Amino acid sequence: MTIILKIGGSVLTDKNKVSAAKPEAIARIAREVSEALSPRLVLVHGAGSFGHHQAKEYRLKDGLNDWSIKGILPTHNAVKSLNAMVVDALQMSGVDALPVHPLSNCTLNNGRIEHMCMEAIRRMLRAEIVPVLHGDVVMDTAKGVDILSGDQLVAYLARALKADRVGIGTNVDGVLRNGSVIREVKPANIKEVESILSGSEGVDVTGGMYGKIAELMALAGEGIPSVVFNAEKPGNIVKFLKDDLAEGTLISGD
């Protein structure tokens, strides 16, 4: 069984500050992954405050120019530093984890993944190593450069690896309507859900909750359902990995 788990940047960092990690949260998440580790787990994490501010300052979404080219390295270094914290915490919790940086193994075309080298990831999974990927700045064959969100990574990896389950750990209890959790998002109610979604708090250049749902609905249409849940609640990651999570929002194609 292949599982894709994404932990949002809002869980790992304070998105209203620049490069502000939450070390206790990172350590807890690593312990929970260790407690319920699947032999074929891929972990993706958002960049949070590590990268969004730099990407906005250098206008990386506008493509490659004399200004944005100066922002590629500081943006990548920022997200790479958060990735290192996550990988180190996993290793300290007994999880064999390795970093995979999209800047070095992926290209985009108009902001969408055009190619990703999957062989290293597949070999890690066969060796029961957890690949840890993240949102990143990536070269783009049309625009020169763009931002790759963790949410798009999740969808691409789920398709490429034929994932059995996908989990999106956020800092809220699921997709919300007036503070209440929408238990399921499906084609029958997607238009209503789209109309009520608003952007995430803090600086986010990757689309917030709306971007998550758009990626996950496309995935659900191909037969891979997902669940959006609160990863800030201790124990929820363990429950998801053990397929015992009774809360959150199911994203389905039915």
Side-chain angles (χ1 to χ4, degrees), residues 6 12 15 27 33 44 49 89 118 121 141 158 182 188 204-205 239:
K6 191 225 174 181
L12 304 172
K15 292 180 72 172
V33 170
V44 179
S49 61
M118 293 297 300
I121 294 171
T141 56
I182 301 172
D204 193 332
V205 294
K239 291 175 183 176

Side-chain angles (χ1 to χ4, degrees), residues 82-192:
L82 177 62
N83 180 256
M85 294 180 205
V86 173
V87 171
D88 287 348
L90 288 166
Q91 289 277 356
M92 289 180 65
S93 294
V95 178
D96 293 318
L98 289 174
V100 178
H101 303 303
L103 174 63
S104 304
N105 84 328
C106 181
T107 55
L108 306 178
N109 187 320
N110 276 318
R112 304 299 300 177
I113 296 174
E114 181 175 62
H115 173 75
M116 175 177 287
C117 178
M118 293 297 300
E119 184 57 28
I121 294 171
R122 290 191 175 98
R123 287 184 178 273
M124 289 179 193
L125 292 176
R126 286 199 289 271
E128 299 189 6
I129 295 169
V130 177
V132 185
L133 297 91
H134 54 89
D136 204 350
V137 54
V138 174
M139 306 313 292
D140 189 299
T141 56
K143 298 173 61 178
V145 70
D146 206 342
I147 298 298
L148 172 61
S149 73
D151 298 311
Q152 189 186 157
L153 265 175
V154 165
Y156 186 93
L157 291 166
R159 292 184 181 101
L161 298 170
K162 296 179 172 58
D164 298 281
R165 294 195 294 118
V166 173
I168 308 294
T170 71
N171 64 341
V172 293
D173 291 336
V175 182
L176 304 179
R177 178 199 291 119
N178 297 324
S180 298
V181 175
I182 301 172
R183 290 301 174 189
E184 186 173 1
V185 177
K186 51 188 177 181
N189 69 345
I190 183 59
K191 293 298 183 184
E192 177 189 0

Side-chain angles (χ1 to χ4, degrees), residues 25-76:
I26 293 172
R28 174 186 59 80
I29 289 164
R31 290 193 298 269
E32 292 198 30
V33 170
S34 177
E35 181 178 339
L37 183 60
S38 164
R40 289 181 59 85
L41 172 66
V42 178
L43 185 65
V44 179
H45 65 81
S49 61
F50 288 75
H52 284 298
H53 291 270
Q54 292 88 345
K56 186 174 182 180
E57 177 185 355
Y58 289 99
R59 301 193 297 274
L60 293 178
K61 293 291 290 180
D62 294 343
L64 198 63
N65 53 54
D66 289 345
W67 175 243
S68 66
I69 198 170
K70 299 181 185 301
I72 295 174
L73 185 59
T75 302
H76 175 67

Side-chain angles (χ1 to χ4, degrees), residues 214-226:
E215 296 289 353
L216 297 176
M217 280 302 299
L219 198 59
E222 299 172 32
I224 305 177
S226 308

